[in-house]
């Protein structure tokens, strides 16, 4: 059953109610915040819609099987999608299918950034599909483990197939129309895997910042962060990298001092929970690492609270005491800026409170979906960022066992089962040699996630584009006059690749 599109519900659905008492991964909060800003700013939806655009975009709902791999199970849920048909010139024109990932998907997904920016040139119908168990596409019955069994990349790909067939009928799309998948980050991996597993339905894919290799211990993340902090091209320097290490060393010194010194640190860095336990200290250090990593991962993006240049400026000369600037003072100021930007009262919580929130099986009002994403990391991907290498500029905490312990405490999954799941994912999809044809992998070398993606062409029909000094999914963001020449060239290369594919599709119909 397909439920036809309703009129655009307006920007209300873009609003996410950040629970001030609910712990959530800082990196995930940053990603959701940046997405919302890009969708609702003057460069996104907001005030830029003209009178002819009032009916756009449209929202619709698909009835999807909860368990598409069991024909005797007829339970279903409603999956949200958005449609922009403003540029669709004929029924055999291409369809750009923008896949959602581990968060809510709003109307901006079909209105700004790519693929929407590419649609006018190709006369494309643009559709975005929200991922099951995220945003408003959450099945009834809560988020207990019995329900979460139906949350995986394989289930998501089954939804793509079902949506591809249902939406073709609903919009009377010609059987000759090529479907092109787009996605960024985890959704970028889904885009590549959709072409890999269903080449008869998906003609080609653009996979941006797609971590196709699952990994248990993602120490490489901080390797890239460290290198990027030294990059002069984006405002880093050797001095900045050293200042980061000095700031973290000072945090650790104050944690070890205890008493009034530790209490002052707690107040200065915005820790809601007590810092008396080592596990709570690790939570704080982990959030501080995420703050620095986030400045690198989202460097230069609309809505990002801090760029690498701004962070380095604070660490080297800013802070609270300009007459005697210290790296710690700069880090403290950076925390204040990020917390204010996200509307957060606290930077970190106690480990016990984090676990309690992750155990909650009622869907949250916000679209972040931390419980759901933790489940996917525990059962498919890993992706646990660590800093145990002596060359890592941060604290040695938290370590891999701390991440794996969450899988055990929240879902009852052992460390060995998580490791096995990661290995199975790479075996099923092929890791960094997936073998799919007509996939363009797009990455930025500033982005820590690019080391898990495909950055070199794997044959003539599996292309790769590595954009210098570009951050995570930056090619998908709305275009700006200040975009670097390398980013502009990267987008031109994406458009050129699409032209080649669509010409190939047209020629094959003759």
């Amino acid at each position: 059953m397909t439920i036809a599109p309703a009129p655009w519900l307006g920007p209300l659905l873009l609003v996410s109610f950040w629970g001030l008492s609910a712990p959530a991964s800082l990196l995930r909060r940053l990603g959701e915040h940046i997405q919302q800003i890009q969708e609702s700013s003057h460069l996104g939806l907001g005030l830029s819609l003209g009178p002819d655009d009032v009916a756009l975009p449209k929202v619709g709902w698909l009835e999807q099987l909860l368990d598409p791999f069991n024909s005797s199970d007829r339970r279903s849920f409603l999956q949200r999608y958005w449609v922009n048909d403003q540029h669709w010139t004929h029924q055999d024109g291409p369809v750009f299918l923008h896949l959602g990932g581990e968060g809510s998907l709003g109307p901006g997904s079909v209105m700004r950034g790519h693929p929407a920016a590419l649609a006018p040139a190709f006369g494309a119908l643009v559709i975005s599909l929200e991922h099951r168990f995220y945003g408003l596409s959450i099945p009834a019955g809560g988020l207990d483990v019995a329900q979460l069994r139906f949350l995986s990349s394989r289930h998501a790909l089954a939804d793509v197939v079902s949506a591809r067939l249902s939406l073709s009928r609903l919009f009377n799309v010609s059987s000759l129309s090529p479907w092109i998948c787009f996605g960024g980050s985890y959704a970028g991996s889904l885009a590549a895997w959709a072409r890999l597993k269903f080449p008869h339905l998906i003609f080609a894919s653009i996979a941006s910042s797609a971590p196709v290799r699952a990994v248990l211990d993602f120490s490489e993340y901080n390797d890239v962060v460290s290198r990027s902090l030294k990059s002069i091209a984006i405002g880093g320097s050797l001095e900045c990298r050293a200042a980061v290490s000095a700031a973290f060393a000072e945090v650790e010194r104050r944690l070890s001092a205890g008493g009034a010194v530790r209490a002052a640190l707690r107040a200065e860095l915005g820790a809601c929970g007590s810092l008396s336990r080592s596990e709570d200290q690790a939570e704080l250090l982990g959030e501080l690492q995420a703050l620095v990593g986030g400045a690198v991962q989202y460097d230069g993006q609309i809505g990002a609270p801090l760029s690498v240049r701004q962070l380095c400026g604070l660490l080297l000369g800013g802070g609270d005491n300009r007459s005697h600037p210290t790296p710690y003072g700069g880090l403290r100021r950076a925390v204040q800026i990020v917390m204010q930007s996200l509307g957060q009262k606290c930077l970190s919580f106690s480990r016990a409170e984090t676990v309690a929130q992750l155990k909650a099986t009622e869907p949250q009002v916000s679209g972040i979906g931390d419980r759901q994403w933790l489940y996917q990391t525990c059962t498919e991907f890993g992706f646990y960022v660590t800093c145990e290498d002596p060359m890592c500029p941060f604290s040695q905490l938290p370590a891999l066992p701390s991440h794996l312990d969450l899988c055990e405490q929240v879902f009852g999954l052992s460390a060995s089962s998580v490791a096995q799941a990661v290995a199975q994912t790479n075996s099923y999809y092929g890791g960094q040699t997936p073998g799919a044809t007509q996939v363009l992998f797009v990455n930025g070398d500033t982005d820590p996630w690019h080391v898990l993606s495909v950055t070199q062409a794997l044959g003539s029909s599996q292309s790769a584009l590595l954009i210098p000094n570009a951050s995570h999914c930056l090619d998908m963001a709305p275009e700006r006059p200040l975009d670097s020449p390398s980013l502009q060239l990267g987008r031109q290369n994406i458009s050129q690749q699409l032209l080649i594919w669509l010409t190939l599709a047209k020629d094959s119909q003759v």
Side-chain angles (χ1 to χ4, degrees), residues 209-290:
S209 300
V212 290
R213 171 166 63 95
V215 62
L216 194 64
D217 186 342
F218 191 15
S219 61
E220 296 157 290
Y221 183 97
N222 280 324
D223 292 342
V224 179
V225 170
S226 180
R227 184 169 70 246
S228 296
L229 289 171
K230 295 185 290 187
S231 173
I232 297 174
I234 59 173
S237 65
L238 289 172
E239 293 78 11
C240 178
R241 163 65 172 73
V244 171
S245 294
F248 274 80
E250 179 63 13
V251 171
E252 289 195 275
R253 186 193 70 78
R254 296 187 182 206
L255 285 171
S256 300
V261 174
R262 183 190 294 161
L265 175 77
R266 174 188 174 187
E268 291 169 356
L269 295 182
C272 280
S274 167
L275 295 178
S276 58
R277 297 173 180 266
S278 60
E279 60 186 17
D280 297 336
Q281 295 176 19
E283 288 286 297
L284 173 65
L285 290 166
E287 288 293 88
L288 291 173
Q289 288 183 32

Side-chain angles (χ1 to χ4, degrees), residues 98-431:
H98 183 180
L99 302 182
E102 69 281 21
S104 61
L105 203 61
S109 59
V110 294
M111 294 299 292
R112 293 295 184 269
H114 84 192
L118 296 163
F122 297 101
L125 174 66
V126 183
I127 303 174
S128 67
L129 184 68
E130 191 168 66
H131 197 295
R132 60 166 57 205
F133 283 90
Y134 293 102
L136 298 186
S137 300
I138 298 180
L143 299 173
D144 59 24
V145 174
Q147 279 280 100
L148 291 177
R149 289 187 300 114
F150 306 109
L151 169 60
S152 74
S153 58
R154 300 186 196 194
H155 286 89
L157 291 176
D159 292 339
V160 171
V161 171
S162 176
R164 156 77 167 80
L165 299 175
S166 296
L167 293 169
S168 291
R169 292 191 296 269
L170 178 63
F171 293 100
N172 197 23
V173 177
S174 168
S175 60
L176 300 177
S177 295
W179 285 64
I180 313 292
C181 269
F182 292 77
S185 199
Y186 161 54
S189 298
L190 289 177
W193 295 335
R195 170 62 187 170
L196 171 68
K197 298 297 184 180
F198 308 104
H200 60 298
L201 296 175
I202 304 301
F203 186 76
S205 291
I206 305 290
S208 297
S209 300
V212 290
R213 171 166 63 95
V215 62
L216 194 64
D217 186 342
F218 191 15
S219 61
E220 296 157 290
Y221 183 97
N222 280 324
D223 292 342
V224 179
V225 170
S226 180
R227 184 169 70 246
S228 296
L229 289 171
K230 295 185 290 187
S231 173
I232 297 174
I234 59 173
S237 65
L238 289 172
E239 293 78 11
C240 178
R241 163 65 172 73
V244 171
S245 294
F248 274 80
E250 179 63 13
V251 171
E252 289 195 275
R253 186 193 70 78
R254 296 187 182 206
L255 285 171
S256 300
V261 174
R262 183 190 294 161
L265 175 77
R266 174 188 174 187
E268 291 169 356
L269 295 182
C272 280
S274 167
L275 295 178
S276 58
R277 297 173 180 266
S278 60
E279 60 186 17
D280 297 336
Q281 295 176 19
E283 288 286 297
L284 173 65
L285 290 166
E287 288 293 88
L288 291 173
Q289 288 183 32
L291 183 148
V292 176
V296 172
Q297 179 169 318
Y298 296 110
D299 179 65
Q301 299 208 25
I302 302 167
L306 287 174
S307 65
V308 169
R309 189 178 304 278
Q310 290 167 329
L311 176 64
C312 289
L314 292 172
L315 291 167
L316 293 172
D320 301 312
N321 187 345
R322 293 192 176 275
S323 60
H324 296 91
T326 65
Y328 170 75
L331 181 62
R332 177 182 173 184
R333 179 62 184 136
V335 168
Q336 294 170 347
I337 291 171
V338 171
M339 288 172 58
Q340 182 178 12
S341 179
L342 297 181
Q344 291 293 128
K345 183 176 67 173
C346 304
L347 177 70
S348 74
F349 294 76
S350 71
R351 175 73 166 197
E353 188 170 354
T354 297
V355 171
Q357 290 289 343
L358 288 169
K359 283 185 173 181
T361 58
E362 287 299 315
Q364 301 299 305
V365 176
S366 93
I368 297 181
D370 280 289
R371 176 175 168 85
Q372 298 96 298
W373 181 241
L374 176 65
Y375 181 80
Q376 288 199 262
T377 67
C378 295
T379 56
E380 293 192 86
F381 304 123
F383 294 154
Y384 302 124
V385 176
T386 64
C387 190
E388 299 176 73
D389 188 302
M391 297 301 294
C392 184
F394 309 120
S395 161
Q396 301 299 295
L397 293 172
L400 181 60
S402 174
H403 292 291
L404 293 174
D405 190 51
L406 273 182
C407 298
E408 174 72 42
Q409 290 189 63
V410 178
F411 301 116
L413 297 169
S414 67
S416 60
S417 74
V418 179
Q420 184 179 15
V422 168
Q424 289 175 341
T425 296
N426 287 328
S427 176
Y428 183 70
Y429 292 119

